[in-house]
Amino acid sequence: MTMDPLVLMTDVDQATELLLGTAEQLDPGAASLLPGWTVGHVLTHVARNADSYTNLLTWARTGVETPQYASPTARDEGIEAGRRRPLAEQLDDIREAHERFADAAAAMPAEAWTFVLPSTGQSAAAVPWARLREVAVHHVDLGGEYTPQDWSDAFALRLLREIVTGGAHASTPMILRPQGTDHALTIGEATGTTPVIGGPTRSITAWLAGRGDGADLTVAPDGELPVPGRWK
């Protein structure tokens, strides 16, 4: 998957449209796949997350400190305030928030993408990927027909590498061997007895991200799957 932020914005556009298509068939008051969250919680979070990333791009472009959220509690307060709204209002909110985010990305001069955001420690060029990840993963959380099996190969592999390199951990170290890749990925300190987990990339990624049960994964030597660490 490309690292070019403007190319990734096209993927964000497409992922957002797919999520809206699923959400049109759902009830905001219904339970989502996230414990304690309704569909309305997820939809509101998706909208407010877009605005939070718009804030970061504004910071990078202008140099004026513009944090993702106005306060440490603003994220949760925003979700709670919007979760009970009618579906049409929720969908319009996501569309409008996405348009603001897309406009902010389009307004970025080339040098602004290199600005390192103090709040994340990464350059602004990482923001479109972060938004794509939020949309694609929370699309699964809506509990509709869209599942991790609908993720692209490139998205699943990039997310898998991010989870592993971002400090993912488990009760037991493990070696991951996604099908179709040349190199294994290791979590923790591997030894001669470290279990090797094999299977489709999407399935391994979903399992580590807490969005799959790993039923189609293999473990060598034979045994139960390790318990993956909690991913955000």
Side-chain angles (χ1 to χ4, degrees):
M1 176 173 286
T2 177
M3 292 291 289
D4 185 322
L6 291 179
V7 173
L8 277 175
M9 285 302 301
T10 300
D11 295 332
V12 175
D13 291 340
Q14 295 171 346
T16 302
E17 286 303 313
L18 286 173
L19 181 146
L20 288 167
T22 294
E24 287 174 350
Q25 313 301 319
L26 302 178
D27 174 5
S32 76
L33 298 184
L34 286 178
W37 271 25
T38 64
V39 168
H41 280 96
V42 177
L43 295 177
T44 301
H45 170 57
V46 168
R48 298 289 72 76
N49 174 263
D51 285 335
S52 80
Y53 284 135
T54 296
N55 289 341
L56 291 185
L57 293 185
T58 300
W59 188 349
R61 180 175 57 82
T62 66
V64 177
E65 182 176 354
T66 314
Q68 276 190 271
Y69 296 97
S71 71
T73 61
R75 173 186 176 277
D76 292 342
E77 290 169 353
I79 294 170
E80 183 62 28
R83 68 183 179 87
R84 294 186 178 89
R85 294 172 298 164
L87 179 61
E89 186 175 337
Q90 300 253 24
L91 299 181
D92 286 344
D93 188 18
I94 292 174
R95 291 189 185 95
E96 292 165 7
H98 170 68
E99 289 173 3
R100 290 190 290 270
F101 177 63
D103 288 345
M108 291 279 283
E111 63 272 15
W113 289 112
T114 66
F115 179 82
V116 176
L117 293 156
S119 60
T120 67
Q122 295 182 306
S123 72
V127 171
W129 159 254
R131 178 57 182 168
L132 177 61
R133 180 190 62 213
E134 288 286 318
V135 173
V137 171
H138 286 308
H139 192 168
V140 173
D141 296 333
L142 289 174
E145 295 183 358
Y146 185 91
T147 75
Q149 299 307 311
D150 294 301
W151 292 339
S152 71
D153 290 338
F155 175 86
L157 184 57
R158 180 167 179 177
L159 179 57
L160 175 59
R161 287 173 173 159
E162 180 178 271
I163 292 172
V164 171
T165 60
H169 62 279
S171 58
T172 304
M174 65 182 83
I175 298 171
L176 309 174
R177 293 194 178 279
Q179 293 173 357
T181 60
D182 295 330
H183 304 288
L185 300 171
T186 302
I187 294 177
E189 296 294 328
T191 68
T193 60
T194 299
V196 178
I197 314 302
T201 300
R202 293 180 184 87
S203 298
I204 294 176
T205 304
W207 171 63
L208 287 177
R211 270 72 182 182
D213 60 10
D216 58 343
L217 303 181
T218 61
V219 184
D222 290 342
E224 295 184 359
L225 284 171
V227 177
R230 177 179 172 80
W231 184 70
K232 59 183 178 179

